[in-house]
Amino acid sequence: MVDGVVIPAGERSGATGPGGGPGPEGTGQFGALGLHLADPRVEASVLGLLERVETDLRASVASADPLVSEAARHLVEAGGKRFRPLLVALGAQFGDPDAAEVVPAAVVMELTHLATLYHDDVMDEAVVRRGAPSANSRWTNSVAILVGDYLFARAADISADLGPEAVRLQARTFARLVHGQIAETVGPRGSDPVAHYLHVIAEKTGSLIATSARFGGMFGGASAEHIEALAGYGEIIGVAFQLSDDLLDIASESVQSGKTPGTDLREGVPTLPVLYALASDDSDAASVRLREILATGPLVDDALHAEALGLLRESPALKRARETVRSYAEDARARLAPLPAGPARRALESLCDYIADRTS
């Protein structure tokens, strides 16, 4: 999933006071995300909307069954990225961000995302999520799957209040998520592994972020042209963020990425740099040795893992992956062309800059 991080109000630059209002200069940067909101009014609007989303998220996962409530709150209270509500909030800036439907639309997007995390952890046999025991390790796989289903149901319930178009869009987005997960599960099946991987990311990650940006424009009352531009941007920026995470897993130190470097490599997850390395026909000794190691599958041996990580960091495959990420970031920027110039558009452009620079 995408690792954009919304920094709580008290941790961002320029933040003051418990209300999370803009700092004294009226400027701020959303921490590690690299999102710049130079206009104090836009910053206050986005932060206020996200705070309301946080309150409504907690209320929306409540259940008459104490176990369901506890398990459903598990990931909500663990914090997380809130990248999808952020895209709703920014999309709404091109219309009326105070429109009544904007907050529930953001809640629908985050609930849908959280539901997928419960299911992902079961499929991945994960034991930790957001620094806490995963739901499946704490309550069993069956409970985690059913809680994910419950969150999908809650998202559908809220979207019903937003009207039939919201229900249709949420359902179609959910269908893309499922298609992406199936494609990832069964593998390329003879197709090009890189093209297959990019397709999976677009379905599993880009689709929900695209709908988030669309919902922001739609429920904020933006024009049809602006809504389509936002959705196109969301799809591409979502893919770009996931690809940049692939690179950070290899190229960064743990303090930057938030996890142990080479985690995907150790678990045998075929991310973009690995796929490029495996597809390479470079005949130099380093490239040949790297392909030999990667072909063995998950690198649980510490010595082999360290060797592969070192080779990947110096490989043409990593350089090619960086170029791919930068290409997606620039494509996302181009999708913003129909939007009016101003602080909201500049904020979205700053995400493109951040993605292009974070893996350089």
Side-chain angles (χ1 to χ4, degrees), residues 4 6 13 71 126 134 139 156 207 210 225 296 302 330 352:
V6 176
S13 62
S134 61
W139 287 288
S207 64
E225 180 186 19
T296 64
D302 289 342
E330 291 309 311
C352 302

Side-chain angles (χ1 to χ4, degrees), residues 9 12 16-22 47-48 51:
R12 60 184 177 85
T16 61
L47 286 170
E51 288 175 359

Side-chain angles (χ1 to χ4, degrees), residues 31-310:
L33 182 58
L35 173 67
H36 294 269
L37 293 173
D39 186 288
R41 291 169 298 178
V42 172
E43 183 178 31
S45 171
V46 170
L47 286 170
L49 192 149
L50 292 175
E51 288 175 359
R52 294 196 298 276
V53 168
E54 206 66 28
T55 298
D56 287 5
L57 267 177
R58 282 163 170 74
S60 67
V61 300
S63 167
D65 186 313
L67 173 62
V68 174
S69 287
E70 181 185 10
R73 287 197 313 266
H74 183 61
L75 286 185
V76 172
E77 294 178 349
K81 296 131 180 99
R82 306 297 190 251
F83 186 60
R84 291 143 195 87
L86 174 63
L87 263 291
V88 175
L90 289 172
Q93 301 301 316
F94 296 93
D96 176 11
D98 295 322
E101 297 89 353
V102 174
V103 169
V107 172
V108 168
M109 292 294 94
E110 187 65 10
L111 285 175
T112 303
H113 171 59
L114 289 172
T116 68
L117 298 186
Y118 282 86
H119 289 178
D120 281 351
D121 283 347
V122 171
M123 298 191 70
D124 297 341
E125 299 180 349
V127 295
V128 175
R129 166 72 70 175
R130 295 178 176 173
S134 61
N136 51 300
S137 66
R138 183 171 175 181
W139 287 288
T140 75
N141 283 344
S142 295
V143 170
I145 290 171
L146 292 169
V147 170
D149 292 344
Y150 172 70
L151 294 181
F152 277 126
R154 292 295 299 124
D157 192 5
I158 297 169
S159 67
D161 291 333
L162 296 173
E165 185 63 15
V167 174
R168 183 178 298 109
L169 287 169
Q170 198 261 353
R172 289 176 178 175
T173 303
F174 184 25
R176 287 190 66 189
L177 291 168
V178 172
H179 275 99
Q181 186 60 67
I182 292 171
E184 182 179 59
T185 300
V186 302
R189 293 187 293 174
S191 64
D192 173 53
V194 172
H196 173 265
Y197 183 66
L198 294 174
H199 169 72
V200 166
I201 293 177
E203 295 291 279
K204 286 190 62 178
T205 301
S207 64
L208 190 55
I209 294 174
T211 302
S212 297
R214 179 184 294 278
F215 268 19
M218 192 169 95
F219 291 110
S223 70
E225 180 186 19
H226 293 165
I227 292 169
E228 290 305 314
L230 286 164
Y233 167 86
E235 176 104 8
I236 303 302
I237 205 72
V239 174
F241 253 112
Q242 183 61 61
L243 293 178
S244 67
D245 279 352
D246 288 357
L247 271 66
L248 285 178
D249 183 62
I250 292 167
S252 72
E253 300 301 327
S254 57
V255 67
Q256 179 185 0
S257 65
K259 64 179 182 178
T260 304
T263 297
D264 292 333
L265 193 62
R266 187 178 294 277
E267 295 175 354
V269 177
T271 56
L272 188 65
V274 170
L275 292 172
Y276 278 156
L278 287 169
S280 168
D281 57 5
D282 293 337
S283 58
D284 60 284
S287 296
V288 171
R289 175 57 179 161
L290 179 57
R291 288 197 297 271
E292 289 175 352
I293 300 173
L294 295 177
T296 64
L299 298 177
V300 295
D301 179 85
D302 289 342
L304 281 178
H305 177 269
E307 183 181 3
L309 191 59

